[in-house]
C-alpha cells in the first residue's frame, strides 16, 4: 500500500475501518482479492514475491504494509510483503509479534507495517531505525513516510474518513472509494521533499495515481467489527487507470 487512513476503536460498528490505495508498477504480477487456498488469509497476492500488501483473517486480524520513499536508501533485504503473511499466518498476537519483529526488522527492505488483532494495533517500521508503537484509538494515516506524517494526501484522506464517520455511515463505502479515486494534486508549497524531484512529488501527491507504467493498482476498504467479523472491498485498475474489476468478500 502507499496511502492509508484508518479509524481504530472509534466507530460504533467497526473496530477497524481502513481505506487505502496500493500503488505499484503495472507489470508486477499480482492476484486479486481472494480467500487463499493455502492460508487463512483473505486479500490480494503478490505473485512475484508471494506475500501481500493487505490481508485479514477470520480471527479478527489485519495487516497492511507500505514501502518508504527514499531513493537514497538501498532496497536490500527480504520482501516487505512477507511481513504481512508471516503475521497473519503466525501464532503471535499483535503485541508479541511487534516485540519480536523489532529485533529482526533490519533484515527487510524499508517498510511501514500496521498489525491489528482483536485487542491491539501496532505500527512497526525500520527507518531510520527499528521501532514499534502501539496505536491509540482514533483516526490515523500512513503513506510512504513515518506513521502519521502529515503529507497532504494523507491528511486529506483522514479528513474524508472523519467526514464519513460524522455522517453516520456504516455500510455505504462509496464516499470512501470516491476519496481514494481523488486525482487532485497538492499545492507545491505543501509537498514533501523525498528526493524524487518536484515533478514526481507533484504526480505522487494525489490519492489516486494515474500512469502507464506505474500507478494505483487497487483501492481497498476493510471493515472489521468488534466481534472480529468483517469484509473487504477491492477495486482494481490497470495502466492509465483502466478499471479492471471490483470484488467484495466476507473475511473468513
Amino acid at each position: 500500500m502507499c496511502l492509508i487512513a484508518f479509524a481504530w476503536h472509534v466507530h460504533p460498528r467497526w473496530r477497524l475501518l481502513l481505506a487505502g490505495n496500493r500503488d505499484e508498477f503495472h507489470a508486477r504480477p499480482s492476484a486479486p482479492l481472494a480467500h487463499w487456498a493455502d492460508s487463512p488469509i483473505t486479500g490480494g497476492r503478490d505473485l512475484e514475491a508471494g506475500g501481500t500488501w493487505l490481508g485479514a483473517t477470520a480471527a479478527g486480524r489485519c495487516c497492511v504494509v507500505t514501502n518508504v520513499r527514499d531513493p537514497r536508501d538501498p532496497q536490500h533485504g527480504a520482501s516487505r510483503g512477507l511481513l504481512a503473511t508471516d503475521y497473519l499466518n503466525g501464532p503471535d498476537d499483535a503485541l508479541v509479534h511487534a516485540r519480536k519483529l523489532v529485533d529482526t526488522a533490519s533484515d527487510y527492505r524499508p517498510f511501514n507495517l500496521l498489525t491489528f488483532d482483536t485487542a491491539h494495533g501496532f505500527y512497526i517500521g525500520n527507518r531510520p531505525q527499528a521501532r514499534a508503537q502501539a496505536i491509540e484509538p482514533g483516526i490515523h494515516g500512513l503513506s510512504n513516510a513515518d506513521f502519521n506524517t502529515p503529507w497532504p494526501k494523507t491528511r486529506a484522506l483522514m479528513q474524508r474518513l472523519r467526514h464519513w464517520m460524522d455522517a453516520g455511515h456504516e455500510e455505504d463505502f462509496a464516499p470512501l472509494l470516491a476519496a481514494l479515486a481523488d486525482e487532485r494534486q497538492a499545492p507545491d508549497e505543501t509537498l514533501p521533499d523525498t528526493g524524487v524531484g518536484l515533478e514526481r512529488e507533484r504526480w505522487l501527491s494525489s490519492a489516486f495515481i494515474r500512469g502507464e507504467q506505474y500507478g494505483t493498482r487497487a483501492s481497498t476498504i476493510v471493515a472489521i467489527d468488534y466481534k472480529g467479523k468483517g469484509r473487504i472491498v477491492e477495486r482494481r485498475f490497470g495502466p492509465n487507470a483502466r478499471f479492471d474489476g471490483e470484488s467484495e468478500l466476507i473475511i473468513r
Side-chain angles (χ1 to χ4, degrees):
M1 305 294 278
C2 285
L3 174 62
I4 300 160
F6 66 94
W8 175 243
H9 276 277
V10 289
H11 191 276
R13 178 173 179 184
W14 304 114
R15 174 169 47 84
L16 173 64
L17 194 286
L18 182 148
N21 274 345
R22 178 200 180 213
D23 303 333
E24 181 56 87
F25 287 99
H26 290 293
R28 187 175 181 115
S30 61
L33 175 67
H35 300 303
W36 294 17
D38 57 349
S39 165
I41 294 172
T42 298
R45 195 165 198 166
D46 175 23
L47 297 179
E48 184 171 304
T52 186
W53 52 94
L54 179 153
T57 73
R61 290 150 68 97
C62 182
C63 191
V64 191
V65 65
T66 83
N67 65 3
V68 177
R69 190 197 305 167
D70 185 349
R72 299 156 296 191
D73 196 341
Q75 298 293 307
H76 297 322
S79 170
R80 288 175 285 263
L82 299 178
L83 289 162
T85 53
D86 287 349
Y87 169 66
L88 293 171
N89 287 323
D92 294 330
D93 62 21
L95 176 60
V96 173
H97 171 268
R99 289 172 175 169
K100 290 182 178 179
L101 181 56
V102 168
D103 293 334
T104 60
S106 61
D107 296 339
Y108 295 85
R109 297 171 191 173
F111 73 85
N112 296 309
L113 188 72
L114 298 175
T115 59
F116 305 93
D117 60 24
T118 56
H120 302 98
F122 274 89
Y123 163 80
I124 308 104
N126 68 347
R127 291 298 186 275
Q129 62 273 328
R131 70 180 183 91
Q133 174 183 335
I135 298 172
E136 299 296 327
I139 295 178
H140 302 276
L142 181 65
S143 188
N144 304 116
D146 203 354
F147 185 49
N148 280 330
T149 296
W151 282 5
K153 66 180 181 181
T154 312
R155 292 200 312 269
L157 186 59
M158 291 169 64
Q159 291 170 357
R160 299 281 287 270
L161 177 56
R162 187 178 298 277
H163 293 160
W164 184 89
M165 293 178 59
D166 290 344
H169 291 299
E170 286 195 0
E171 298 202 18
D172 180 11
F173 298 135
L176 295 179
L177 290 166
L180 292 171
D182 191 349
E183 295 188 52
R184 290 176 295 177
Q185 295 182 356
D188 284 358
E189 62 271 17
T190 68
L191 296 175
D193 181 3
T194 61
V196 299
L198 180 58
E199 286 300 319
R200 193 166 182 86
E201 295 286 9
R202 288 170 176 160
W203 181 51
L204 296 174
S205 70
S206 59
F208 189 96
I209 310 299
R210 180 187 295 264
E212 176 66 32
Q213 296 182 328
Y214 179 92
T216 299
R217 299 277 304 271
S219 295
T220 307
I221 307 294
V222 178
I224 301 175
D225 66 21
Y226 290 89
K227 296 181 179 179
K229 306 298 183 182
R231 66 186 201 260
I232 303 179
V233 180
E234 179 187 82
R235 285 184 179 173
R236 295 176 294 279
F237 304 92
N240 292 319
R242 180 192 69 222
F243 180 67
D244 276 352
E246 179 173 337
S247 303
E248 180 172 345
L249 293 178
I250 301 298
I251 300 169
R252 62 175 176 81

